Amino acid sequence: MELKIVLPDGSEKAVKKGVKVREVLESFLTKETLGAKFNGQIFDLETPITEEGTFEKLLTPEDPESLELLRHTAAHVMAQAVKELFPEAKLGIGPTIENGFYYDFDYERSFTPEDLKQIEKRMKKIIKKRYPLVREEISKEEAKKLFSDLNEPYKLELIEEIPVDTVSIYRQGEFVDLCAGPHLPHTGWVKAFKLLSVAGAYWRGDENNPMLWRIYGTAFFKKEELEAYLEKLEEAKRRDHRRLGKELELFSIEEEVGPGLILWHPKGALVRKIIEDFWREEHLKRGYELVVTPHIARRHLWQISGHLDFYAENMFAPMKIDEIEYQLKPMNCPFHILIYKSRRRSYRELPIRWCELGTVYRYERSGVLHGLMRVRGFTQDDAHIFCREDQLEEEIFRCLDLTVFFLSTFGFKEYQIFLSTRPEKYVGDEAIWEKAEGALRKALEDKGLPYEIDPGEGVFYGPKIDIKIKDVLGRFWQCSTIQVDFNIPERFNLTYIGEDNQRHRPIMIHRALLGSLERFFGVLIEHYAGAFPVWLAPVQAIIITVADRHIPFAEQVLEHLKGAGIRVKPDFRNEKLGFKIREAQLQKIPYMIIIGDKELENKALTIRTRKGENLPLMSTEDFVAKVQEEVSAKTLN
């Protein structure tokens, strides 16, 4: 069978089905050609062509898409090295991931840092031999025999699930792996790589399956790019909110309390209060009303909402009270709905905007818990808007504007927007879903906001807009979400009396701007590296005396600043000045007020910033005005 192929120069060519990319593009290949992009997919030179289409481009080390070829090959090189050093290890899977790759191994113990060094050393030998990566198409029966002889049970399990009669394998030297590709032409192209860490991972992500050992790594075509990435990782470690949370005494997670449950220490609780107060004030300005709801409810409420049908695995087990089952709430929305239903509503009241900083509880498996980023109890900055259909677009606009306002206030200027569409399991009919998706799409387009479609990632009751914020290290974090819901109002039989004196169904918008306070707080810690801007800092200034004779004046300054609302603490200890300054810098306090003989004589203050800059001598009043201005303007670092 012949296939019509469009070549990179736009010309056409008829080829036999199954011919390899290398043969089709023979006249175009250079020593820098690593693969090709065909019908939007990345193919290596060994891939057979099985359908008609277009070669959009040849891939070289300069193309970002080539990193997939590089990292997939690096994963195979690592697997070969592990098998050579630890022959008893059984192979799992080894895909590319964002910024790197991993491979899972079944071995009697975890791999140590010393093991990783040995694996890297062996990888370099394999790379030096420039083994070609040769693809073969074999029958499933041949594949079963091959991997049975190699004693690779996980590969046999994967083969059983392949729905076609043939499978592809790749060979490099003596090593062979079940794989669909794509790969580099030979191992010598793996230039700059690093093995990063080891973690436990259940086979196929199922906790009922064996625990494997996952080795993570990364690879780049240039040594400078690898070094820059490793430096970025080191900076991320320095900014890790779990480490800084402990050092700055912001929060802790204690085994006696339970995993995924946060204890807020005084400093962290104060920052949280500042964020909450700002959040409430801004919502009240914009026509929202505050509500407060319980932490538990009768379980049947979650049956009506649909959570028991679609979300039960993420809910905690029920508790029995007076022979009735109650449930820790995973969401706030059913409570807001029942407030709406507490009396008859008129079209004149709509839109109704209710907001709540409501704590919810979700069962997350212990393996995915991660500091503040993934917890079991957290506070959502939740709001629900009940509106008429003619008000829907305007309300989505308002939500988007408020989201941008909040994110920019905290220093997030760049973000990605996704329109998440109907998932595989959902409530309601397709027509309603299309209507809801259309409303979100229209709002984004009318606002002129660029977005991507995230297929199947909506919630069970409606589509949503997800906004991911970009931090100073270029990482994206999911925080804000806006969801349009035609379904739950129907499940709870919500109505309002329209202008025609008839009952009509309101539309419900679920939205969270910061997501959860815990997660957002964790993102802020890492974004600021623990150095909160003055308006958020738990301690805005510290007064440091040079000697005991300076304490009386320092106490006057302390009382003055406290009276002006400045969050200030004293350090009048009999310690060396440099020691006290260093401690204040480690606590990332924005301002250090140094009081010595000069300050005492002039009744003025020497101000040192946490970055080490000394400001001109100023009066106490001028310093108060400076801090108050920064707080009022919510100045960022």
Side-chain angles (χ1 to χ4, degrees), residues 20 22 34 44-46 73 76-77 80 125-136 169-177 182-190:
K20 291 185 177 182
R22 183 187 303 279
L34 305 178
D44 63 31
L45 301 181
E46 292 284 300
T73 305
H76 278 229
V77 171
Q80 182 176 356
K125 288 184 179 180
I126 295 167
I127 291 165
K128 195 172 182 180
K129 291 183 178 179
R130 296 168 61 92
Y131 288 127
L133 280 97
V134 181
R135 178 178 174 130
E136 296 177 22
I169 62 171
Y170 278 80
R171 295 183 184 273
Q172 58 197 54
E174 298 297 316
F175 179 75
V176 61
D177 202 354
H183 291 286
L184 296 169
H186 58 77
T187 61
W189 275 107
V190 182

Side-chain angles (χ1 to χ4, degrees), residues 15-156:
V15 303
K16 288 183 180 179
K17 185 177 181 180
V19 67
K20 291 185 177 182
V21 170
R22 183 187 303 279
E23 298 171 60
V24 178
L25 299 178
E26 187 176 8
S27 61
F28 294 89
L29 301 183
T30 70
K31 63 179 181 180
E32 292 286 297
T33 306
L34 305 178
K37 201 166 184 182
F38 180 72
N39 288 350
Q41 289 183 286
I42 298 172
F43 281 13
D44 63 31
L45 301 181
E46 292 284 300
T47 307
I49 301 298
T50 58
E51 63 182 14
E52 294 186 334
T54 301
F55 280 102
E56 288 125 22
K57 65 189 295 191
L58 299 180
L59 299 178
T60 72
E62 302 303 316
D63 294 295
E65 296 99 324
S66 294
L67 285 172
E68 182 176 339
L69 298 162
L70 170 65
R71 290 166 178 168
H72 202 160
T73 305
H76 278 229
V77 171
M78 179 175 72
Q80 182 176 356
V82 169
K83 288 294 288 185
E84 290 179 2
L85 292 169
F86 308 93
E88 302 85 3
K90 302 291 183 285
L91 298 174
I93 57 173
T96 59
I97 54 175
E98 186 179 7
N99 296 321
F101 60 89
Y102 70 78
Y103 212 113
D104 291 341
F105 303 94
D106 188 348
Y107 192 54
E108 61 188 8
R109 60 171 175 80
S110 177
F111 295 98
T112 66
E114 187 56 40
D115 291 334
L116 295 191
K117 290 179 184 176
Q118 293 302 313
I119 295 167
E120 283 188 348
K121 191 174 178 182
R122 183 59 63 96
M123 287 175 70
K124 288 175 182 176
K125 288 184 179 180
I126 295 167
I127 291 165
K128 195 172 182 180
K129 291 183 178 179
R130 296 168 61 92
Y131 288 127
L133 280 97
V134 181
R135 178 178 174 130
E136 296 177 22
E137 303 287 329
I138 61 177
S139 70
K140 285 178 70 172
E141 292 308 312
E142 289 177 287
K144 286 178 188 177
K145 183 177 187 314
L146 172 62
F147 288 101
S148 178
D149 291 345
L150 291 170
N151 193 19
E152 296 289 358
Y154 299 103
K155 298 298 180 181
L156 291 172

